[in-house]
Amino acid sequence: MTRAVLSLGSNLGDRLAHLRSAVAALDDAVLVVSGVYETPPWGDADQPAYLNAAVLVTDPAATPRDWLDRARAAEEAAGRVRDPERRFGPRTLDVDVIAVWDDAGEPVLSDDPELTLPHPRAHLRAFVLRPWIDIQPYGRLPGHGWLTDLLNADPVAGDVLELGPRPDLALESTP
């Protein structure tokens, strides 16, 4: 497997530092990083706002499970604690594997409960779709369609209004 889109989010502590730590943990696999967006919490409104971004990564030797392991390692390094009582609760860092493509550029599909591909709710989340469009303006979510169409469809379209671009925050330094 060679390419994946990962979604990054943080709403506890130094949110930007947590996102940057995820990008740093992915190191040489990073092809491009989106802009940063500030978003209201999703699923559980009683928590701070999130910073969200997306990353396009590549590694010819990586399997979908490898991407999940890297995501979890980045979360753990940022002090992520999973609360079994609060599924959509606050977190220092959340890294989700959204989609993976194989060597031939074909999407990898998986119904593994631990790693469903593509991510089963990505098409409903403006905070995933909008940053992804930054890095792949003509991207498609396997099984769902064009990112721009998904972003403009109900019920996602209403959430777009709540996304706040943060051009003052960068995940990578520029030369």
Side-chain angles (χ1 to χ4, degrees):
M1 309 303 154
T2 59
R3 222 172 14 114
V5 170
L6 307 179
S7 176
L8 311 177
S10 175
N11 75 336
L12 291 179
D14 188 338
R15 301 174 301 164
L16 184 60
H18 293 310
L19 296 183
R20 285 178 174 158
S21 73
V23 172
L26 295 164
D27 196 29
D28 292 341
V30 175
L31 290 175
V32 64
V33 179
S34 75
V36 176
Y37 293 82
E38 191 155 23
T39 63
W42 192 90
D44 182 344
D46 188 24
Q47 57 184 308
Y50 277 82
L51 289 183
N52 290 101
V55 183
L56 180 63
V57 291
T58 188
D59 181 341
T63 66
R65 181 62 196 207
D66 292 331
W67 292 121
L68 179 62
D69 290 345
R70 289 179 188 186
R72 289 184 175 166
E75 291 174 346
E76 186 176 317
R80 164 91 185 255
V81 176
R82 294 182 186 276
D83 181 351
E85 302 295 318
R86 197 169 179 195
R87 181 173 181 195
F88 298 114
R91 55 211 55 192
T92 54
L93 181 64
D94 186 38
V95 182
D96 287 332
V97 179
I98 303 300
V100 177
W101 293 267
D102 66 17
D103 291 336
E106 294 297 318
V108 176
L109 306 178
S110 170
D111 59 3
D112 181 327
E114 198 170 10
L115 180 61
T116 304
L117 291 172
H119 189 287
R121 290 171 298 284
H123 67 288
L124 299 173
R125 295 180 173 171
F127 65 84
V128 171
L129 297 170
R130 183 61 196 96
W132 186 357
I133 289 170
D134 281 0
I135 59 177
Q136 288 190 313
Y138 300 102
R140 295 182 74 157
L141 178 61
H144 293 280
W146 297 103
L147 301 178
T148 51
D149 290 345
L150 296 171
L151 192 65
N152 291 310
D154 285 329
V156 178
D159 293 342
V160 173
L161 299 174
E162 297 183 29
L163 290 175
R166 293 294 306 269
D168 57 313
L169 304 178
L171 294 183
E172 292 185 305
S173 59
T174 55

PDB file of all heavy atoms in Angstrom, residues 29-64:
ATOM      1  N   ALA A  29       7.134  10.311   5.384  1.00  0.00           N
ATOM      2  CA  ALA A  29       5.952   9.812   4.673  1.00  0.00           C
ATOM      3  C   ALA A  29       5.035  10.953   4.217  1.00  0.00           C
ATOM      4  O   ALA A  29       4.205  10.761   3.338  1.00  0.00           O
ATOM      5  CB  ALA A  29       5.172   8.845   5.555  1.00  0.00           C
ATOM      6  N   VAL A  30       5.187  12.137   4.794  1.00  0.00           N
ATOM      7  CA  VAL A  30       4.287  13.259   4.494  1.00  0.00           C
ATOM      8  C   VAL A  30       4.563  13.829   3.102  1.00  0.00           C
ATOM      9  O   VAL A  30       5.677  14.239   2.795  1.00  0.00           O
ATOM     10  CB  VAL A  30       4.424  14.373   5.557  1.00  0.00           C
ATOM     11  CG1 VAL A  30       3.577  15.583   5.180  1.00  0.00           C
ATOM     12  CG2 VAL A  30       4.029  13.849   6.922  1.00  0.00           C
ATOM     13  N   LEU A  31       3.520  13.856   2.271  1.00  0.00           N
ATOM     14  CA  LEU A  31       3.599  14.496   0.958  1.00  0.00           C
ATOM     15  C   LEU A  31       3.125  15.937   1.023  1.00  0.00           C
ATOM     16  O   LEU A  31       3.760  16.832   0.483  1.00  0.00           O
ATOM     17  CB  LEU A  31       2.744  13.741  -0.062  1.00  0.00           C
ATOM     18  CG  LEU A  31       3.235  12.377  -0.496  1.00  0.00           C
ATOM     19  CD1 LEU A  31       2.212  11.718  -1.410  1.00  0.00           C
ATOM     20  CD2 LEU A  31       4.581  12.487  -1.181  1.00  0.00           C
ATOM     21  N   VAL A  32       1.984  16.158   1.677  1.00  0.00           N
ATOM     22  CA  VAL A  32       1.417  17.500   1.758  1.00  0.00           C
ATOM     23  C   VAL A  32       0.494  17.582   2.975  1.00  0.00           C
ATOM     24  O   VAL A  32      -0.127  16.592   3.359  1.00  0.00           O
ATOM     25  CB  VAL A  32       0.675  17.877   0.448  1.00  0.00           C
ATOM     26  CG1 VAL A  32      -0.515  16.982   0.193  1.00  0.00           C
ATOM     27  CG2 VAL A  32       0.273  19.329   0.415  1.00  0.00           C
ATOM     28  N   VAL A  33       0.447  18.767   3.563  1.00  0.00           N
ATOM     29  CA  VAL A  33      -0.365  19.026   4.754  1.00  0.00           C
ATOM     30  C   VAL A  33      -1.351  20.140   4.420  1.00  0.00           C
ATOM     31  O   VAL A  33      -0.998  21.126   3.774  1.00  0.00           O
ATOM     32  CB  VAL A  33       0.534  19.458   5.936  1.00  0.00           C
ATOM     33  CG1 VAL A  33      -0.291  19.755   7.174  1.00  0.00           C
ATOM     34  CG2 VAL A  33       1.571  18.393   6.237  1.00  0.00           C
ATOM     35  N   SER A  34      -2.567  20.000   4.870  1.00  0.00           N
ATOM     36  CA  SER A  34      -3.601  21.007   4.634  1.00  0.00           C
ATOM     37  C   SER A  34      -3.397  22.227   5.524  1.00  0.00           C
ATOM     38  O   SER A  34      -2.543  22.233   6.413  1.00  0.00           O
ATOM     39  CB  SER A  34      -4.989  20.435   4.935  1.00  0.00           C
ATOM     40  OG  SER A  34      -5.196  20.331   6.340  1.00  0.00           O
ATOM     41  N   GLY A  35      -4.240  23.206   5.312  1.00  0.00           N
ATOM     42  CA  GLY A  35      -4.337  24.306   6.246  1.00  0.00           C
ATOM     43  C   GLY A  35      -4.996  23.827   7.529  1.00  0.00           C
ATOM     44  O   GLY A  35      -5.482  22.695   7.626  1.00  0.00           O
ATOM     45  N   VAL A  36      -4.999  24.695   8.525  1.00  0.00           N
ATOM     46  CA  VAL A  36      -5.596  24.380   9.821  1.00  0.00           C
ATOM     47  C   VAL A  36      -6.967  25.049   9.895  1.00  0.00           C
ATOM     48  O   VAL A  36      -7.131  26.199   9.474  1.00  0.00           O
ATOM     49  CB  VAL A  36      -4.691  24.871  10.972  1.00  0.00           C
ATOM     50  CG1 VAL A  36      -5.346  24.636  12.321  1.00  0.00           C
ATOM     51  CG2 VAL A  36      -3.327  24.187  10.904  1.00  0.00           C
ATOM     52  N   TYR A  37      -7.931  24.339  10.457  1.00  0.00           N
ATOM     53  CA  TYR A  37      -9.296  24.842  10.621  1.00  0.00           C
ATOM     54  C   TYR A  37      -9.702  24.699  12.081  1.00  0.00           C
ATOM     55  O   TYR A  37      -9.385  23.694  12.722  1.00  0.00           O
ATOM     56  CB  TYR A  37     -10.275  24.036   9.745  1.00  0.00           C
ATOM     57  CG  TYR A  37     -10.041  24.266   8.281  1.00  0.00           C
ATOM     58  CD1 TYR A  37      -9.040  23.586   7.597  1.00  0.00           C
ATOM     59  CD2 TYR A  37     -10.793  25.204   7.579  1.00  0.00           C
ATOM     60  CE1 TYR A  37      -8.800  23.818   6.252  1.00  0.00           C
ATOM     61  CE2 TYR A  37     -10.560  25.444   6.234  1.00  0.00           C
ATOM     62  CZ  TYR A  37      -9.564  24.747   5.581  1.00  0.00           C
ATOM     63  OH  TYR A  37      -9.332  24.988   4.247  1.00  0.00           O
ATOM     64  N   GLU A  38     -10.405  25.702  12.582  1.00  0.00           N
ATOM     65  CA  GLU A  38     -10.968  25.609  13.929  1.00  0.00           C
ATOM     66  C   GLU A  38     -12.423  25.223  13.773  1.00  0.00           C
ATOM     67  O   GLU A  38     -13.159  25.821  12.980  1.00  0.00           O
ATOM     68  CB  GLU A  38     -10.821  26.929  14.676  1.00  0.00           C
ATOM     69  CG  GLU A  38     -11.157  26.788  16.139  1.00  0.00           C
ATOM     70  CD  GLU A  38     -10.470  27.837  16.991  1.00  0.00           C
ATOM     71  OE1 GLU A  38     -10.096  28.899  16.462  1.00  0.00           O
ATOM     72  OE2 GLU A  38     -10.314  27.579  18.196  1.00  0.00           O
ATOM     73  N   THR A  39     -12.826  24.211  14.515  1.00  0.00           N
ATOM     74  CA  THR A  39     -14.168  23.666  14.347  1.00  0.00           C
ATOM     75  C   THR A  39     -14.821  23.404  15.696  1.00  0.00           C
ATOM     76  O   THR A  39     -14.146  23.074  16.669  1.00  0.00           O
ATOM     77  CB  THR A  39     -14.120  22.340  13.560  1.00  0.00           C
ATOM     78  OG1 THR A  39     -13.382  21.373  14.311  1.00  0.00           O
ATOM     79  CG2 THR A  39     -13.472  22.520  12.201  1.00  0.00           C
ATOM     80  N   PRO A  40     -16.144  23.525  15.731  1.00  0.00           N
ATOM     81  CA  PRO A  40     -16.832  23.168  16.967  1.00  0.00           C
ATOM     82  C   PRO A  40     -16.761  21.659  17.171  1.00  0.00           C
ATOM     83  O   PRO A  40     -16.562  20.905  16.213  1.00  0.00           O
ATOM     84  CB  PRO A  40     -18.277  23.622  16.712  1.00  0.00           C
ATOM     85  CG  PRO A  40     -18.420  23.705  15.240  1.00  0.00           C
ATOM     86  CD  PRO A  40     -17.061  23.974  14.683  1.00  0.00           C
ATOM     87  N   PRO A  41     -16.905  21.202  18.408  1.00  0.00           N
ATOM     88  CA  PRO A  41     -16.863  19.759  18.662  1.00  0.00           C
ATOM     89  C   PRO A  41     -18.007  19.051  17.934  1.00  0.00           C
ATOM     90  O   PRO A  41     -19.082  19.623  17.728  1.00  0.00           O
ATOM     91  CB  PRO A  41     -17.008  19.643  20.174  1.00  0.00           C
ATOM     92  CG  PRO A  41     -17.542  20.952  20.629  1.00  0.00           C
ATOM     93  CD  PRO A  41     -17.164  21.974  19.617  1.00  0.00           C
ATOM     94  N   TRP A  42     -17.747  17.822  17.542  1.00  0.00           N
ATOM     95  CA  TRP A  42     -18.728  17.018  16.813  1.00  0.00           C
ATOM     96  C   TRP A  42     -19.162  15.860  17.697  1.00  0.00           C
ATOM     97  O   TRP A  42     -18.323  15.172  18.281  1.00  0.00           O
ATOM     98  CB  TRP A  42     -18.073  16.483  15.542  1.00  0.00           C
ATOM     99  CG  TRP A  42     -19.011  15.886  14.549  1.00  0.00           C
ATOM    100  CD1 TRP A  42     -19.643  16.529  13.525  1.00  0.00           C
ATOM    101  CD2 TRP A  42     -19.423  14.520  14.466  1.00  0.00           C
ATOM    102  NE1 TRP A  42     -20.410  15.641  12.816  1.00  0.00           N
ATOM    103  CE2 TRP A  42     -20.301  14.398  13.382  1.00  0.00           C
ATOM    104  CE3 TRP A  42     -19.144  13.388  15.211  1.00  0.00           C
ATOM    105  CZ2 TRP A  42     -20.898  13.201  13.005  1.00  0.00           C
ATOM    106  CZ3 TRP A  42     -19.739  12.189  14.855  1.00  0.00           C
ATOM    107  CH2 TRP A  42     -20.604  12.107  13.763  1.00  0.00           C
ATOM    108  N   GLY A  43     -20.454  15.651  17.813  1.00  0.00           N
ATOM    109  CA  GLY A  43     -20.962  14.501  18.554  1.00  0.00           C
ATOM    110  C   GLY A  43     -21.149  14.726  20.046  1.00  0.00           C
ATOM    111  O   GLY A  43     -21.970  14.085  20.666  1.00  0.00           O
ATOM    112  N   ASP A  44     -20.394  15.615  20.647  1.00  0.00           N
ATOM    113  CA  ASP A  44     -20.472  15.900  22.076  1.00  0.00           C
ATOM    114  C   ASP A  44     -20.098  17.371  22.235  1.00  0.00           C
ATOM    115  O   ASP A  44     -18.923  17.730  22.233  1.00  0.00           O
ATOM    116  CB  ASP A  44     -19.509  15.001  22.846  1.00  0.00           C
ATOM    117  CG  ASP A  44     -19.559  15.204  24.361  1.00  0.00           C
ATOM    118  OD1 ASP A  44     -20.100  16.232  24.820  1.00  0.00           O
ATOM    119  OD2 ASP A  44     -19.030  14.338  25.084  1.00  0.00           O
ATOM    120  N   ALA A  45     -21.097  18.235  22.337  1.00  0.00           N
ATOM    121  CA  ALA A  45     -20.872  19.686  22.306  1.00  0.00           C
ATOM    122  C   ALA A  45     -20.228  20.241  23.572  1.00  0.00           C
ATOM    123  O   ALA A  45     -19.744  21.366  23.567  1.00  0.00           O
ATOM    124  CB  ALA A  45     -22.191  20.402  22.044  1.00  0.00           C
ATOM    125  N   ASP A  46     -20.193  19.476  24.655  1.00  0.00           N
ATOM    126  CA  ASP A  46     -19.678  19.961  25.926  1.00  0.00           C
ATOM    127  C   ASP A  46     -18.160  19.764  26.024  1.00  0.00           C
ATOM    128  O   ASP A  46     -17.677  18.964  26.835  1.00  0.00           O
ATOM    129  CB  ASP A  46     -20.395  19.252  27.076  1.00  0.00           C
ATOM    130  CG  ASP A  46     -20.048  19.852  28.422  1.00  0.00           C
ATOM    131  OD1 ASP A  46     -19.650  21.034  28.471  1.00  0.00           O
ATOM    132  OD2 ASP A  46     -20.158  19.127  29.433  1.00  0.00           O
ATOM    133  N   GLN A  47     -17.424  20.497  25.179  1.00  0.00           N
ATOM    134  CA  GLN A  47     -15.966  20.422  25.158  1.00  0.00           C
ATOM    135  C   GLN A  47     -15.433  21.583  24.330  1.00  0.00           C
ATOM    136  O   GLN A  47     -16.174  22.233  23.615  1.00  0.00           O
ATOM    137  CB  GLN A  47     -15.497  19.079  24.587  1.00  0.00           C
ATOM    138  CG  GLN A  47     -16.007  18.784  23.190  1.00  0.00           C
ATOM    139  CD  GLN A  47     -15.590  17.411  22.704  1.00  0.00           C
ATOM    140  OE1 GLN A  47     -14.416  17.073  22.751  1.00  0.00           O
ATOM    141  NE2 GLN A  47     -16.544  16.629  22.238  1.00  0.00           N
ATOM    142  N   PRO A  48     -14.116  21.839  24.406  1.00  0.00           N
ATOM    143  CA  PRO A  48     -13.528  22.956  23.654  1.00  0.00           C
ATOM    144  C   PRO A  48     -13.548  22.717  22.141  1.00  0.00           C
ATOM    145  O   PRO A  48     -13.689  21.585  21.672  1.00  0.00           O
ATOM    146  CB  PRO A  48     -12.077  23.003  24.157  1.00  0.00           C
ATOM    147  CG  PRO A  48     -12.035  22.179  25.386  1.00  0.00           C
ATOM    148  CD  PRO A  48     -13.156  21.194  25.298  1.00  0.00           C
ATOM    149  N   ALA A  49     -13.339  23.797  21.394  1.00  0.00           N
ATOM    150  CA  ALA A  49     -13.251  23.724  19.934  1.00  0.00           C
ATOM    151  C   ALA A  49     -12.000  22.956  19.518  1.00  0.00           C
ATOM    152  O   ALA A  49     -11.008  22.901  20.253  1.00  0.00           O
ATOM    153  CB  ALA A  49     -13.226  25.133  19.341  1.00  0.00           C
ATOM    154  N   TYR A  50     -12.057  22.396  18.332  1.00  0.00           N
ATOM    155  CA  TYR A  50     -10.943  21.623  17.772  1.00  0.00           C
ATOM    156  C   TYR A  50     -10.142  22.436  16.774  1.00  0.00           C
ATOM    157  O   TYR A  50     -10.674  23.338  16.129  1.00  0.00           O
ATOM    158  CB  TYR A  50     -11.481  20.399  17.014  1.00  0.00           C
ATOM    159  CG  TYR A  50     -11.791  19.228  17.882  1.00  0.00           C
ATOM    160  CD1 TYR A  50     -12.999  19.148  18.567  1.00  0.00           C
ATOM    161  CD2 TYR A  50     -10.890  18.183  18.030  1.00  0.00           C
ATOM    162  CE1 TYR A  50     -13.295  18.066  19.373  1.00  0.00           C
ATOM    163  CE2 TYR A  50     -11.181  17.088  18.832  1.00  0.00           C
ATOM    164  CZ  TYR A  50     -12.382  17.037  19.495  1.00  0.00           C
ATOM    165  OH  TYR A  50     -12.666  15.965  20.295  1.00  0.00           O
ATOM    166  N   LEU A  51      -8.886  22.063  16.619  1.00  0.00           N
ATOM    167  CA  LEU A  51      -8.118  22.409  15.438  1.00  0.00           C
ATOM    168  C   LEU A  51      -8.056  21.127  14.621  1.00  0.00           C
ATOM    169  O   LEU A  51      -7.805  20.043  15.176  1.00  0.00           O
ATOM    170  CB  LEU A  51      -6.696  22.865  15.784  1.00  0.00           C
ATOM    171  CG  LEU A  51      -6.559  24.231  16.453  1.00  0.00           C
ATOM    172  CD1 LEU A  51      -5.079  24.554  16.666  1.00  0.00           C
ATOM    173  CD2 LEU A  51      -7.230  25.332  15.641  1.00  0.00           C
ATOM    174  N   ASN A  52      -8.325  21.248  13.303  1.00  0.00           N
ATOM    175  CA  ASN A  52      -8.325  20.093  12.412  1.00  0.00           C
ATOM    176  C   ASN A  52      -7.460  20.350  11.188  1.00  0.00           C
ATOM    177  O   ASN A  52      -7.319  21.493  10.749  1.00  0.00           O
ATOM    178  CB  ASN A  52      -9.747  19.752  11.951  1.00  0.00           C
ATOM    179  CG  ASN A  52     -10.590  19.194  13.057  1.00  0.00           C
ATOM    180  OD1 ASN A  52     -11.401  19.906  13.631  1.00  0.00           O
ATOM    181  ND2 ASN A  52     -10.413  17.932  13.383  1.00  0.00           N
ATOM    182  N   ALA A  53      -6.938  19.269  10.631  1.00  0.00           N
ATOM    183  CA  ALA A  53      -6.143  19.322   9.411  1.00  0.00           C
ATOM    184  C   ALA A  53      -6.169  17.943   8.772  1.00  0.00           C
ATOM    185  O   ALA A  53      -6.673  16.977   9.358  1.00  0.00           O
ATOM    186  CB  ALA A  53      -4.701  19.746   9.713  1.00  0.00           C
ATOM    187  N   ALA A  54      -5.619  17.857   7.559  1.00  0.00           N
ATOM    188  CA  ALA A  54      -5.486  16.576   6.863  1.00  0.00           C
ATOM    189  C   ALA A  54      -4.073  16.462   6.317  1.00  0.00           C
ATOM    190  O   ALA A  54      -3.420  17.474   6.040  1.00  0.00           O
ATOM    191  CB  ALA A  54      -6.504  16.472   5.731  1.00  0.00           C
ATOM    192  N   VAL A  55      -3.627  15.221   6.179  1.00  0.00           N
ATOM    193  CA  VAL A  55      -2.286  14.945   5.689  1.00  0.00           C
ATOM    194  C   VAL A  55      -2.367  13.842   4.630  1.00  0.00           C
ATOM    195  O   VAL A  55      -3.049  12.830   4.843  1.00  0.00           O
ATOM    196  CB  VAL A  55      -1.361  14.480   6.834  1.00  0.00           C
ATOM    197  CG1 VAL A  55       0.049  14.249   6.351  1.00  0.00           C
ATOM    198  CG2 VAL A  55      -1.369  15.460   7.981  1.00  0.00           C
ATOM    199  N   LEU A  56      -1.679  14.053   3.516  1.00  0.00           N
ATOM    200  CA  LEU A  56      -1.520  13.011   2.510  1.00  0.00           C
ATOM    201  C   LEU A  56      -0.139  12.406   2.727  1.00  0.00           C
ATOM    202  O   LEU A  56       0.869  13.132   2.759  1.00  0.00           O
ATOM    203  CB  LEU A  56      -1.629  13.595   1.102  1.00  0.00           C
ATOM    204  CG  LEU A  56      -1.489  12.605  -0.053  1.00  0.00           C
ATOM    205  CD1 LEU A  56      -2.619  11.574  -0.037  1.00  0.00           C
ATOM    206  CD2 LEU A  56      -1.475  13.356  -1.380  1.00  0.00           C
ATOM    207  N   VAL A  57      -0.107  11.083   2.926  1.00  0.00           N
ATOM    208  CA  VAL A  57       1.138  10.390   3.233  1.00  0.00           C
ATOM    209  C   VAL A  57       1.378   9.260   2.239  1.00  0.00           C
ATOM    210  O   VAL A  57       0.433   8.755   1.626  1.00  0.00           O
ATOM    211  CB  VAL A  57       1.123   9.831   4.676  1.00  0.00           C
ATOM    212  CG1 VAL A  57       1.168  10.945   5.705  1.00  0.00           C
ATOM    213  CG2 VAL A  57      -0.095   8.948   4.913  1.00  0.00           C
ATOM    214  N   THR A  58       2.630   8.869   2.110  1.00  0.00           N
ATOM    215  CA  THR A  58       2.974   7.757   1.229  1.00  0.00           C
ATOM    216  C   THR A  58       4.125   6.960   1.821  1.00  0.00           C
ATOM    217  O   THR A  58       5.009   7.513   2.479  1.00  0.00           O
ATOM    218  CB  THR A  58       3.339   8.257  -0.191  1.00  0.00           C
ATOM    219  OG1 THR A  58       3.486   7.128  -1.051  1.00  0.00           O
ATOM    220  CG2 THR A  58       4.604   9.064  -0.198  1.00  0.00           C
ATOM    221  N   ASP A  59       4.061   5.661   1.596  1.00  0.00           N
ATOM    222  CA  ASP A  59       5.132   4.750   1.999  1.00  0.00           C
ATOM    223  C   ASP A  59       4.889   3.458   1.224  1.00  0.00           C
ATOM    224  O   ASP A  59       3.894   2.774   1.465  1.00  0.00           O
ATOM    225  CB  ASP A  59       5.098   4.494   3.496  1.00  0.00           C
ATOM    226  CG  ASP A  59       6.208   3.569   3.976  1.00  0.00           C
ATOM    227  OD1 ASP A  59       6.793   2.824   3.151  1.00  0.00           O
ATOM    228  OD2 ASP A  59       6.496   3.569   5.181  1.00  0.00           O
ATOM    229  N   PRO A  60       5.773   3.113   0.300  1.00  0.00           N
ATOM    230  CA  PRO A  60       5.550   1.928  -0.528  1.00  0.00           C
ATOM    231  C   PRO A  60       5.408   0.633   0.264  1.00  0.00           C
ATOM    232  O   PRO A  60       4.780  -0.306  -0.202  1.00  0.00           O
ATOM    233  CB  PRO A  60       6.787   1.869  -1.427  1.00  0.00           C
ATOM    234  CG  PRO A  60       7.443   3.183  -1.325  1.00  0.00           C
ATOM    235  CD  PRO A  60       6.996   3.818  -0.051  1.00  0.00           C
ATOM    236  N   ALA A  61       5.967   0.591   1.454  1.00  0.00           N
ATOM    237  CA  ALA A  61       5.923  -0.634   2.247  1.00  0.00           C
ATOM    238  C   ALA A  61       4.758  -0.663   3.235  1.00  0.00           C
ATOM    239  O   ALA A  61       4.504  -1.692   3.860  1.00  0.00           O
ATOM    240  CB  ALA A  61       7.240  -0.804   2.998  1.00  0.00           C
ATOM    241  N   ALA A  62       4.043   0.443   3.404  1.00  0.00           N
ATOM    242  CA  ALA A  62       3.010   0.522   4.443  1.00  0.00           C
ATOM    243  C   ALA A  62       1.721  -0.180   4.031  1.00  0.00           C
ATOM    244  O   ALA A  62       1.235  -0.023   2.912  1.00  0.00           O
ATOM    245  CB  ALA A  62       2.727   1.974   4.777  1.00  0.00           C
ATOM    246  N   THR A  63       1.170  -0.906   4.972  1.00  0.00           N
ATOM    247  CA  THR A  63      -0.152  -1.514   4.817  1.00  0.00           C
ATOM    248  C   THR A  63      -1.162  -0.610   5.526  1.00  0.00           C
ATOM    249  O   THR A  63      -0.767   0.278   6.302  1.00  0.00           O
ATOM    250  CB  THR A  63      -0.187  -2.905   5.471  1.00  0.00           C
ATOM    251  OG1 THR A  63      -0.023  -2.730   6.887  1.00  0.00           O
ATOM    252  CG2 THR A  63       0.892  -3.824   4.916  1.00  0.00           C
ATOM    253  N   PRO A  64      -2.462  -0.829   5.312  1.00  0.00           N
ATOM    254  CA  PRO A  64      -3.441  -0.043   6.067  1.00  0.00           C
ATOM    255  C   PRO A  64      -3.228  -0.158   7.583  1.00  0.00           C
ATOM    256  O   PRO A  64      -3.343   0.820   8.306  1.00  0.00           O
ATOM    257  CB  PRO A  64      -4.779  -0.643   5.639  1.00  0.00           C
ATOM    258  CG  PRO A  64      -4.522  -1.140   4.255  1.00  0.00           C
ATOM    259  CD  PRO A  64      -3.114  -1.669   4.305  1.00  0.00           C
TER     260      PRO A  64
END
